[in-house]
Amino acid sequence: MASATSPSNFQKARARLANYSEVVVLISFVLLFLIFTLTADNFLSLLSITNILTIASIKGIFVIGVAMLMISGEFDLSVGSTLAVGAYVFAILMEHGFVMGGSQILPAGLGFLALIISLIICGLLGLVNGLIVVRSGIPSFIATLGTMLAFRGIARAMGNSELAKTSGNADVVRFTGEAPPLFNVLNGDINFINDLGTPAGGARMAIVWFFLVVLVAVIVMRYTRYGSWVYATGGSRVAALAQGVRTDRIIIWNFIVTGALAGLAGVVQFASRPAIDPARGEGWELIAVAACVIGGIWLQGGYGTIIGAAIGMLLLQMVEQGLILAGVDIQLFQATIGLILIVAVISNTWLSRT
Amino acid sequence: MKLNKKITLMVGLLVMAFVAVACEPQVVEVEKEVQVTVEVEKIVEVEKEVEVEKIVEVEVEKEVEVEKIVEVEKIVEVAVPVIVDDPNRTLDIIAVQHAECSWDAFWCTVQDGINQGALDNNVNVTILAPDEFDIDKTASLIEQAVAAQPDAIMLTVTDPTVFADPINAALDLGIPVVAYNAGSGPNEDGIGYLTYLGQDEYAGGYLGGQRLAAEGGTLGVCVNHAPGAVNVARRCAGFEQAMTEAGIAYEELVTNDDPAESSTIIGDYYAANPDADIFITMGPNSAVPFYAFLDNEGLAPGDVKHGTFDNSPEITANIENGTTMFGIDQQPFLQGYGGVTALSLAARYGILPAAPVTATGPGFITVDTLGDPAGADAPMSIIAVQHAECAWDAFWCVVQNGATTAAERMNIDLQILAPDSFDIDATGSLIEQAVAAQPDAIMLTVTDATAFAGPIQAALDAGIPVVAYNAGAGPTVDGIDYLTYLGQDEYAGGYQGGQRLAALGGTKGVCINHAPGATSTSLRCSGFEQAMSEAGLAYEELVTNDDPAESATIIGDYYAANPDADIFITMGPNSAVPFYAFVDNEGLTTDDFIHGTFDLSPEISANIQSGATQFGIDQQPFLQGYGAVQALNLLHRHGVVPALPVTSTGPGFVTVDNLTVVQALAGEFR
């Protein structure tokens, strides 16, 4: 009898845990946090912690979009390129305005309007992704691989264009004026936090934006019909369709949201480091996928949470900062992240194999 | 709950296992320490050496460049770093660069230099770089490096706009920072790091031009395949300057990246200008078309003289066969090595690089230098010959401490020779005896260029490399073909000092010169004048003498006649002390004037402390000894040559921010 109850308890516990897809990433996060606290000098300093939060937050903003897409069963490999386009649009509008045929159609330094235009353009790029995937039926992995290259080409062309009007240092657009208040709102220092410690912290507004994006996404995914539809779309598209979920629309909207969030990440980043080059965001699409997978989102969709993806992103950044503080050479970063990814996926799979 | 524990344990063990593996210390630590080969900014030094008269010419050009800097941004105050508690402990330095060896072979040489510098300086270096070219990631790596609070940080300023905040975060913590390979120096980048280590393009063109012009010529041509690029424009400008000074006509010939078309352009040009007999090319992209042109025309080696920037298999082959006199190398090894040394000296002893740009190149690759260096582990002996020594002149204890510290750290057998009292003739004989001992290298003071020319030439003829330290004027001025002279750059001292003073505001600058005949003080005043004129301020030189009371009266009379004079620079205690007397006599307060001075003394230190004097300029004698040993070590073991004829060890600015550090280390390191 005893031997029979034990596996059944075990099964029950596993089944219970399987309802919380974040459990693996959460445990890993806490463990790694403890390990770094013990092994890496200065890991618990204000500067180190705020660094992790700030740097993770910029990528985190679009990781949330990618997470929603993955839950609905789709990929977006073009986010890094979309980010670059968004940052270029914002940078050019802020620095030069919009000039066509020799006449200044929009003045420089538009601020909020530049932000909106940039987000709309990135949303449209997302719409393109969505339409290609939905209308053609090409797997999103392939479709967005194509648009990743295409959008990167757009970013390069913008860097090289008349619009950018750069001289000498080709391809790089930089904001040369006095930083407008909008930049502080988007990614200024959060001084009341930074002044709490010595050395001063590195907290920036990106953390706030990331938090807001996570908050809204969590509410949408957990408490709205749209969220349920996203899960349904990713879980079983046939069943979802049978229940009247317009899966095509869900997918298209998720692509639009992902594109706009990528643009927001690019703009937020530009606000603190006001120069943009065509390679910006290259390789970040895979970091986003890694964060989501570590966070417990299934590649085939229908399972996982926003919180998990957010913790996944924080974990990746924490590992980078922790390894630097531990004095480890850079070559081991990728190896470490790869290992974490595999361990996380194995653990998640094991948990969900009820 | 049991399950929770099991899961926790399993995941934890896994993660811990690989983290433990990953964290296995990868320490690059070794014994020695190093020194810096600080070089001055471009034009200033180069020209200065030629002759004092030339300075005028040179400065004019420099003015153009510097003016731009002033327009764009103000002179940036270099952040004074905090020094470490124990100079003998192993330092932790983090290097952040935009590329690395595993995916860009150029960086392997830089990293070799960093690692060797770490060994030679008793430093641990951790190198951080993104997995692929990624400016933003590089900036984040800098931020994360700062969080580690290392003793120092070296980095590439690939994009000053993006990197400014992360670098300033390090500077705010008192962490010393130098830039290497990518950057333009603190002033142009607008970031107060210590110095930028990279090629001095103007000096490359200038020194290359001098080599080509040495045997005469009619028309010098700068073959430029990249006419838009700023660095290439500087190369041609330096070359042009050398041609002008040699009385040779100059022209720039623009080609492009198409080899066939470019060689036709050169051929057409040569047909129209058959008197063109000196050519300098900007790299393989103009050298290869040049070689094609030579073939087409059937020209033999020696018909025209050729030198080039950079190196490639074609260029090496043509150096070997005598067609090309030299290739100019930016010496990436020295960029890494020198960065580590500069930081080690700054963090340990507060010894700061003398110039905003520390030239690692031009390094001339000629048919003589194509051989292999001795290697890092080769035994090495150096004999130092100097006109004075620690036993009877305390100043020299600091110089000798620098030399012996470097020799110990680099595992070099160093022998110091000096006469029992000041005796030029005996010093010259010591040089001759040193040559007879056939060491791997000799360092010496060129106290008297005429008297020492013979003995030094004997060393050079015996194939022994020679550098000068503390006394000398550089190979060009001394007329002796040694490698470089390590000492104070007087012009740069006056210039940088003037910039600092002008930045505080003012109307009229006065150079108070108690030794008007001396070359060094006139160079100091010229540099100061240049800074004043760039800042749009009036300038005058006021001659005093070695009598303190009389000098104070002279200054007082001058001030009565020129009440608008408000910026003063003095040449040392002998003009600073009368200046302080004048200030007392007139009852002036620190708001009434801005004062800086060369050298240090108890009075000067007291006035720096009180805020009356902004700075004293130190020639950093420790660095003269240390730097000479390092330069010879780099040459013998690693094939790295000093970039400039004068390697400046000063000006080292002593201000209220680092006065206590300097006083604490006085007599040993300062």
Side-chain angles (χ1 to χ4, degrees):
Chain A
M1 265 327 263
S3 61
T5 34
S6 169
S8 100
N9 278 344
F10 185 82
Q11 295 273 349
K12 265 195 271 174
R14 196 164 77 175
R16 222 174 32 239
L17 281 178
N19 290 331
Y20 300 96
S21 63
E22 307 94 336
V23 71
V24 168
V25 70
L26 202 57
I27 292 170
S28 311
F29 185 90
V30 171
L31 267 179
L32 282 167
F33 189 89
L34 290 176
I35 290 168
F36 282 129
T37 303
L38 294 176
T39 58
D41 289 343
N42 296 317
F43 181 74
L44 271 191
S45 69
L46 178 69
L47 179 54
S48 155
I49 302 294
T50 50
N51 261 350
I52 293 168
L53 288 172
T54 303
I55 300 170
S57 289
I58 291 180
K59 295 181 188 123
I61 289 171
F62 69 79
V63 164
I64 299 311
V66 173
M68 287 175 67
L69 257 178
M70 283 180 68
I71 292 171
S72 67
E74 304 291 345
F75 284 100
D76 188 352
L77 296 181
S78 71
V79 280
S81 303
T82 307
L83 180 149
V85 172
Y88 261 115
V89 170
F90 183 71
I92 290 172
L93 288 177
M94 289 304 288
E95 179 67 10
H96 303 299
F98 185 64
V99 182
M100 208 160 76
S103 56
Q104 186 92 23
I105 293 171
L106 290 174
L110 287 168
F112 189 67
L113 185 58
L115 170 67
I116 296 299
I117 293 174
S118 164
L119 296 191
I120 289 174
I121 289 179
C122 290
L124 289 175
L125 295 181
L127 176 65
V128 170
N129 279 331
L131 288 176
I132 295 174
V133 168
V134 165
R135 291 284 155 83
S136 71
I138 303 174
S140 55
F141 187 90
I142 304 300
T144 58
L145 182 65
T147 53
M148 173 181 93
L149 299 171
F151 297 168
R152 180 63 60 191
I154 293 175
R156 284 189 198 285
M158 289 177 77
N160 228 342
S161 68
E162 272 297 300
L163 285 174
K165 286 190 297 193
T166 47
S167 61
N169 205 351
D171 297 351
V172 177
V173 178
R174 47 190 88 236
F175 185 75
T176 51
E178 186 76 10
L182 176 68
F183 281 19
N184 286 329
V185 173
L186 284 171
N187 206 10
D189 286 310
I190 309 179
N191 285 325
F192 78 91
I193 294 179
N194 294 342
D195 294 343
L196 291 178
T198 316
R204 288 182 173 274
M205 285 296 289
I207 299 173
V208 173
W209 295 111
F210 178 44
F211 179 78
L212 288 177
V213 169
V214 170
L215 189 69
V216 170
V218 165
I219 290 170
V220 167
M221 294 295 280
R222 189 169 289 178
Y223 302 111
T224 68
R225 255 186 332 176
Y226 184 84
S228 323
W229 289 344
V230 170
Y231 277 103
T233 304
S236 166
R237 201 156 296 178
V238 180
L241 277 170
Q243 289 173 7
V245 177
R246 303 182 66 173
T247 56
D248 284 3
R249 242 184 222 194
I250 298 291
I251 289 168
I252 289 176
W253 272 110
N254 274 352
F255 270 111
I256 292 174
V257 167
T258 304
L261 286 177
L264 179 62
V267 169
V268 165
Q269 186 186 61
F270 185 82
S272 64
R273 293 173 181 162
I276 172 82
D277 60 86
R280 188 57 50 87
E282 225 163 42
W284 287 14
E285 53 282 336
L286 296 181
I287 293 177
V289 173
C292 291
V293 170
I294 290 172
I297 293 175
W298 285 3
L299 282 179
Q300 61 269 37
Y303 185 82
T305 63
I306 299 300
I307 294 285
I311 298 174
M313 189 60 238
L314 289 171
L315 182 145
L316 288 180
Q317 199 55 50
M318 179 176 73
V319 168
E320 186 171 288
Q321 176 71 79
L323 290 180
I324 287 175
L325 295 183
V328 174
D329 276 346
I330 193 85
Q331 289 82 356
L332 288 174
F333 286 16
Q334 285 176 312
T336 311
I337 285 168
L339 261 173
I340 291 176
L341 188 71
I342 289 165
V343 171
V345 172
I346 291 174
S347 315
N348 282 330
T349 314
W350 176 82
L351 253 189
S352 58
R353 211 180 44 208
T354 35
Chain B
M1 282 324 282
K2 250 188 195 169
L3 281 191
N4 254 336
K5 270 189 192 161
K6 268 191 187 170
I7 293 163
T8 312
L9 207 68
M10 283 178 58
V11 176
L13 283 179
L14 259 170
V15 171
M16 272 156 107
F18 89 77
V19 168
V21 171
C23 295
E24 193 62 32
Q26 278 223 334
V27 182
V28 192
E29 155 189 342
V30 185
E31 336 105 42
K32 312 274 143 150
E33 182 167 309
V34 179
Q35 81 203 25
V36 183
T37 325
V38 183
E39 279 133 51
V40 181
E41 232 172 275
K42 40 194 67 168
I43 307 171
V44 178
E45 288 184 3
V46 175
E47 296 144 18
K48 215 180 307 157
E49 281 144 45
V50 179
E51 255 171 73
V52 179
E53 256 161 73
K54 286 231 170 93
I55 291 171
V56 179
E57 290 174 27
V58 177
E59 275 154 39
V60 174
E61 295 224 6
K62 169 142 208 182
E63 218 174 314
V64 179
E65 257 183 68
V66 178
E67 244 171 67
K68 204 177 94 209
I69 298 170
V70 176
E71 274 171 32
V72 179
E73 45 229 317
K74 288 219 129 179
I75 299 309
V76 174
E77 182 117 8
V78 169
V80 176
V82 176
I83 69 163
V84 298
D85 42 356
D86 172 13
N88 295 319
R89 76 167 163 83
T90 303
L91 299 183
D92 285 312
I93 292 180
I94 298 182
V96 185
Q97 50 195 42
H98 62 249
E100 60 129 357
C101 177
S102 67
W103 54 272
D104 184 343
F106 171 88
W107 287 88
C108 298
T109 314
V110 179
Q111 288 175 217
D112 284 348
I114 291 176
N115 290 328
Q116 187 64 45
L119 284 175
D120 289 353
N121 281 285
N122 187 23
V123 165
N124 273 331
V125 178
T126 307
I127 297 174
L128 304 179
D131 321 320
E132 59 188 339
F133 186 79
D134 183 340
I135 293 282
D136 182 71
K137 175 76 183 282
T138 313
S140 296
L141 287 175
I142 298 171
E143 287 176 345
Q144 298 180 79
V146 175
Q149 300 181 43
D151 296 312
I153 294 177
M154 55 195 285
L155 43 79
T156 55
V157 186
T158 323
D159 187 324
T161 314
V162 175
F163 289 9
D165 279 356
I167 297 175
N168 284 325
L171 299 176
D172 290 346
L173 290 178
I175 299 175
V177 175
V178 300
Y180 61 109
N181 182 269
S184 308
N187 293 334
E188 282 193 62
D189 286 339
I191 309 170
Y193 58 81
L194 293 174
T195 192
Y196 161 66
L197 295 106
Q199 171 137 289
D200 185 330
E201 306 288 3
Y202 184 92
Y206 180 77
L207 297 171
Q210 283 188 327
R211 284 177 184 238
L212 291 166
E215 289 145 47
T218 316
L219 171 59
V221 181
C222 185
V223 182
N224 185 351
H225 66 272
V230 176
N231 63 337
V232 173
R234 287 182 179 161
R235 294 171 178 181
C236 284
F239 177 74
E240 179 178 6
Q241 176 68 19
M243 291 301 115
T244 311
E245 284 171 16
I248 297 173
Y250 164 81
E251 228 164 329
E252 180 176 344
L253 175 62
V254 172
T255 60
N256 56 43
D257 281 330
D258 178 334
E261 197 181 327
S262 295
S263 73
T264 311
I265 295 174
I266 302 172
D268 292 348
Y269 177 84
Y270 188 69
N273 301 275
D275 57 337
D277 49 3
I278 298 177
F279 291 86
I280 193 163
T281 49
M282 299 297 107
N285 285 9
S286 45
V288 171
F290 178 78
Y291 297 138
F293 146 75
L294 290 182
D295 279 349
N296 297 344
E297 301 285 330
L299 292 170
D303 289 348
V304 296
K305 280 185 280 185
H306 175 239
T308 186
F309 278 81
D310 297 346
N311 206 350
S312 72
E314 294 92 343
I315 291 173
T316 304
N318 278 284
I319 291 173
E320 273 165 357
N321 73 23
T323 304
T324 299
M325 249 168 101
F326 56 80
I328 294 176
D329 183 10
Q330 61 171 301
Q331 306 201 117
F333 185 92
L334 186 54
Q335 296 174 354
Y337 191 98
V340 176
T341 301
L343 290 174
S344 156
L345 293 175
R348 287 187 163 118
Y349 313 121
I351 294 175
L352 306 184
V357 174
T358 301
T360 61
F364 285 90
I365 302 167
T366 67
V367 72
D368 302 325
T369 61
L370 281 174
D372 289 330
D377 303 323
M380 183 175 182
S381 62
I382 295 178
I383 298 182
V385 184
Q386 51 195 42
H387 61 247
E389 64 149 335
C390 179
W392 53 273
D393 184 343
F395 172 87
W396 285 88
C397 300
V398 182
V399 180
Q400 286 174 222
N401 191 28
T404 51
T405 304
E408 266 169 42
R409 293 200 166 137
M410 297 170 201
N411 200 18
I412 288 168
D413 180 15
L414 173 72
Q415 187 183 6
I416 297 177
L417 305 178
D420 303 329
S421 61
F422 185 78
D423 183 338
I424 290 287
D425 186 59
T427 312
S429 305
L430 287 174
I431 298 173
E432 283 166 346
Q433 293 169 53
V435 175
Q438 297 185 21
D440 294 314
I442 292 177
M443 53 195 266
L444 45 75
T445 54
V446 187
T447 325
D448 185 323
T450 318
F452 290 1
I456 296 174
Q457 194 57 49
L460 298 173
D461 291 345
I464 302 172
V466 175
V467 300
Y469 62 108
N470 182 269
T476 323
V477 179
D478 285 341
I480 312 169
D481 204 13
Y482 59 82
L483 288 163
T484 189
Y485 161 65
L486 293 102
Q488 170 135 289
D489 185 326
E490 307 291 1
Y491 182 90
Y495 179 73
Q496 293 179 24
Q499 286 182 322
R500 284 176 181 241
L501 296 176
L504 300 172
T507 313
K508 179 174 187 178
V510 181
C511 185
I512 302 178
N513 187 351
H514 66 272
T519 311
S520 60
T521 56
S522 72
L523 281 169
R524 292 171 179 181
C525 286
S526 313
F528 177 74
E529 179 180 5
Q530 176 69 20
M532 290 301 114
S533 79
E534 281 171 18
L537 305 181
Y539 164 80
E540 219 164 338
E541 181 175 344
L542 175 63
V543 172
T544 60
N545 56 44
D546 280 332
D547 179 333
E550 195 181 328
S551 297
T553 310
I554 296 174
I555 301 172
D557 292 349
Y558 176 84
Y559 189 68
N562 299 274
D564 58 334
D566 47 7
I567 300 179
F568 299 90
I569 193 164
T570 48
M571 299 296 106
N574 285 7
S575 45
V577 172
F579 178 78
Y580 296 138
F582 145 74
V583 168
D584 279 348
N585 296 344
E586 301 284 332
L588 299 180
T589 71
T590 52
D591 295 335
D592 299 328
F593 63 89
I594 301 165
H595 175 238
T597 185
F598 280 80
D599 298 347
L600 288 173
S601 74
E603 295 91 346
I604 291 173
S605 296
N607 279 283
I608 292 174
Q609 195 67 60
S610 75
T613 297
Q614 302 299 321
F615 56 78
I617 293 177
D618 181 13
Q619 62 173 298
Q620 308 199 122
F622 183 89
L623 189 50
Q624 297 173 354
Y626 198 102
V629 172
Q630 173 175 282
L632 293 170
N633 171 47
L634 283 170
L635 177 71
H636 182 70
R637 288 182 173 148
H638 306 289
V640 172
V641 297
L644 300 178
V646 172
T647 303
S648 52
T649 61
F653 285 89
V654 179
T655 66
V656 70
D657 295 327
N658 63 349
L659 182 65
T660 35
V661 167
V662 172
Q663 284 176 328
L665 298 173
E668 204 176 348
F669 302 105
R670 303 301 297 248

